Amino acid sequence: MVSGGCVGTEGGAEPEESAAAAVAAEEQVMPATAPARARELVVGYALTSKKAKSFLQPKLRGLARKKGIQFVAIDQKLPLSDQGPFDVILHKLTGKEWQRRLEEYRETHPEVTVLDPPGAIEHLLNRQSMLQEVSKLDLADCHGKVGVPKQLFVNTDPLSIPAAVMRAGLSLPLVAKPLVAKSHELSLAYDAASLTKLEPPLVLQEFVNHGGVLFKVYIVGDAIRVVRRFSLPNVDEGDLSNNAGVFRFPRVSCAAATAEDADLDPHVAELPPRPLLEILARELRRRLGLRLFNIDMIREHGTRDRFYVIDMNYFPGYGKMPGYEHVFTDFLLSLDQQKEYKRRPGYTSGEG
């Protein structure tokens, strides 16, 4: 189990309040007419058309322009060195050729911030390795515990899956997830016979009752935002007795299934403690080498402080996060400020 250090104040901040506070703080700090930046911050982006549409919404582009940030599409048919110059490269493309080009560019342009390094992203694209760093954490804490559900990697004849599950000591029902994290589809297998209908390679994960609510923890650099989403309902003994087979779902949660305004049991709806999220996010940023990712987190039903991380994603759907345009533009500007600080005379990497 993972536990987080006792830091900060208790209780998780409501996501709407967090977004509103960020906007209010910006309005208080920024003068009525913000001074123009000495130069634009140029962010090259390499995204699928679907990702670009969901992320680069008009509200983000508009605020970015006001803050002196320019988003420029990268032409994947041209060498990266022939484009730009860029201050930041933002990407979510897969494939060995793209990774090779990006790594070569990083070597010849160390002054450009790449979000995020291709090698670090690989860790979250494979569900066999995705949650390893969470399971390794062991931090003394008084705000809660975080673990990973028992799971099993399966890449064998489907007929042998029931025996493999029994040897591994996993309990039904089991959530079956594709090995490659490009797909959000999943299945819920209620009985041993149904396991033979699954299609490896996949990861089997014990289903943990969590009151039908999932916490999406968005991480953008040092910033953390949490939203509630409806999830799969609890499964009891009656469900196990009366159901058989494999039930398929497009994904555990979606933006349309927001639980923010729902009338929920307070014990189910209560957000994870902020100090716990802060230490978890900090440790995962350090261990994974990533700055843009999200954590899908659940609270075990009937407990207040026992949480499980069930999935993680690189560069998730930030467009669904309240106030994301403020969080993201502030993050990009902070990267530029860090570079400026490091250029100051007398700077050494050992300075705080």
Side-chain angles (χ1 to χ4, degrees):
M1 297 299 290
V2 181
S3 37
C6 301
V7 294
T9 57
E10 292 193 29
E14 292 291 339
E16 295 90 351
E17 293 175 357
S18 299
V23 176
E26 182 183 45
E27 291 174 346
Q28 291 172 4
V29 174
M30 296 293 288
T33 304
R37 287 174 50 81
R39 61 179 183 81
E40 281 193 321
L41 181 72
V42 181
V43 180
Y45 65 91
L47 307 171
T48 64
S49 57
K50 180 180 179 181
K51 187 69 176 179
K53 182 178 180 180
S54 66
F55 176 69
L56 294 169
Q57 297 177 28
K59 60 183 178 181
L60 174 63
R61 287 185 177 275
L63 184 61
R65 281 194 297 270
K66 291 179 181 179
K67 293 185 174 183
I69 302 171
Q70 180 185 12
F71 287 101
V72 178
I74 291 175
D75 189 336
Q76 298 175 45
K77 298 178 182 178
L78 298 177
L80 285 171
S81 295
D82 292 349
Q83 304 179 63
F86 302 118
D87 297 294
V88 177
I89 287 183
L90 193 62
H91 73 104
K92 191 177 183 180
L93 298 177
T94 56
K96 295 187 180 299
E97 177 59 22
W98 168 253
Q99 292 183 15
R100 181 191 64 77
R101 292 174 57 195
L102 195 55
E103 289 291 6
E104 289 180 355
Y105 182 83
R106 290 182 69 209
E107 291 179 4
T108 56
H109 296 78
E111 75 284 359
V112 179
T113 300
V114 175
L115 298 171
D116 273 314
I121 296 170
E122 281 292 307
H123 196 86
L124 294 191
L125 298 182
N126 184 315
R127 286 197 169 95
Q128 186 180 10
S129 61
M130 176 188 291
L131 304 180
Q132 285 178 351
E133 294 303 328
V134 179
S135 63
K136 291 177 184 177
L137 290 174
D138 183 18
L139 308 169
D141 157 70
C142 62
H143 288 284
K145 297 179 180 179
V146 181
V148 174
K150 291 174 67 174
Q151 60 180 39
L152 174 68
F153 168 60
V154 177
N155 190 19
T156 185
D157 178 5
L159 294 176
S160 66
I161 295 178
V165 166
M166 183 175 296
R167 286 194 301 272
L170 269 64
S171 300
L172 293 164
L174 294 174
V175 180
K177 301 181 179 182
L179 178 64
V180 179
K182 291 180 183 179
S183 172
H184 294 285
E185 292 186 1
L186 59 87
S187 303
L188 190 62
Y190 279 93
D191 62 308
S194 65
L195 296 174
T196 62
K197 301 175 183 178
L198 300 175
E199 300 177 5
L202 50 81
V203 170
L204 294 175
Q205 191 177 85
E206 280 192 343
F207 180 79
V208 178
N209 281 336
H210 52 283
V213 172
L214 175 147
F215 304 107
K216 276 204 169 290
V217 183
Y218 291 98
I219 295 166
V220 184
D222 293 334
I224 302 170
R225 296 292 184 272
V226 188
V227 296
R228 302 178 189 86
R229 298 276 177 81
F230 283 118
S231 178
L232 303 181
N234 288 347
V235 175
D236 58 27
E237 291 296 329
D239 294 321
L240 289 174
S241 302
N242 299 323
N243 289 287
V246 176
F247 294 79
R248 303 187 186 280
F249 302 89
R251 61 196 305 149
V252 175
S253 70
C254 63
T258 178
E260 290 305 318
D261 299 322
D263 184 16
L264 298 171
D265 180 340
H267 298 295
V268 172
E270 182 183 6
L271 295 178
R274 187 74 186 186
L276 182 61
L277 294 178
E278 288 175 351
I279 195 167
L280 178 62
R282 183 174 69 242
E283 284 299 312
L284 289 178
R285 280 196 304 266
R286 182 179 66 82
R287 289 168 177 261
L288 296 173
L290 297 173
R291 284 171 281 190
L292 301 177
F293 62 101
N294 89 300
I295 302 167
D296 285 353
M297 197 170 179
I298 59 175
R299 173 190 285 110
E300 184 174 357
H301 191 62
T303 75
R304 185 178 182 185
D305 63 353
R306 188 174 293 268
F307 300 92
Y308 290 89
V309 174
I310 60 172
D311 210 30
M312 297 172 67
N313 299 282
Y314 169 67
F315 201 158
Y318 287 118
K320 304 166 189 172
M321 182 182 86
Y324 90 103
E325 66 275 18
H326 295 274
V327 175
F328 216 94
T329 51
D330 285 348
F331 167 64
L332 292 173
L333 292 177
S334 73
L335 296 176
D336 196 43
Q337 292 167 359
Q338 291 170 19
K339 288 182 184 178
E340 291 295 334
Y341 181 76
K342 292 178 180 180
R343 295 190 192 104
R344 288 162 52 179
Y347 169 82
T348 63
S349 58
E351 290 184 13

